Amino acid sequence: MLERIAGRDAHALADLYDRYAGVSLALAGRILGDRSEAEDVLQIVFTRVWQDAGRYDPSKGSATAWLLSWIRNGAIDRLRRREASHRAALHTADAAGAAAIPDDDVALDASQEREKLARAVAGLPADQRQVIELAYFEGLTQTQIAQKLGEPVGTAKTRMRLGMNKWRQALPVLSGEAH
């Protein structure tokens, strides 16, 4: 079917879509949690299939695996862009001083929470703090963190796990909830 699509057979693309749209939509929807965004991913991926079907190499796996990996990667890319956009919006709101918050108590509570989180992160060893900041504030995966730091992936994962455990333990102490 992909060979026919590479030869610009529109009926073959329609057949591929009919056969795999349901499972593709379910996969993208599960990753994104939003049907509209999942539909956007499907449109983008099936357009790419139309353009790049000739790149499929059967020796590397089945056509189904090839298509679903494109769906998965497209959904993850969309999710990362959404999260990065959300972080940027929060950062912009923080930088603007949250001028639009009508209730001073709410602003104070949010400010205190940010301060507690910042103290908890600051209390981590530098190597653990670095991987957590790269993951949560730059949106990098553990593999990307390892590459950026020039370290094995296992080292990045261990630092992330240790840092998260220490961070989790520090938060109740800083908030006065620990006994």
Side-chain angles (χ1 to χ4, degrees), residues 111-165:
S111 175
Q112 289 170 340
E113 286 300 313
R114 277 193 301 275
E115 186 178 318
K116 287 177 193 174
L117 291 171
R119 278 195 314 236
V121 171
L124 295 174
D127 56 347
Q128 294 170 12
R129 181 177 59 244
Q130 185 178 30
V131 296
I132 289 173
E133 288 174 344
L134 289 170
Y136 286 93
F137 302 120
E138 293 186 30
L140 300 181
T141 65
Q142 291 174 333
T143 302
Q144 291 169 327
I145 292 168
Q147 289 171 345
K148 183 171 185 162
L149 300 177
E151 297 174 346
V153 175
T155 301
K157 288 181 177 185
T158 298
R159 289 180 179 165
M160 177 72 72
R161 182 177 41 79
L162 292 172
M164 291 301 293
N165 287 338

Side-chain angles (χ1 to χ4, degrees), residues 16-30 35 38 42 46 67-68 71:
L16 184 75
Y17 184 86
D18 290 343
R19 184 178 295 174
Y20 292 104
V23 69
S24 297
L25 185 61
L27 176 61
R30 183 170 182 161
R35 183 176 174 92
L42 254 62
F46 277 92
L67 174 64
L68 294 179
I71 295 290

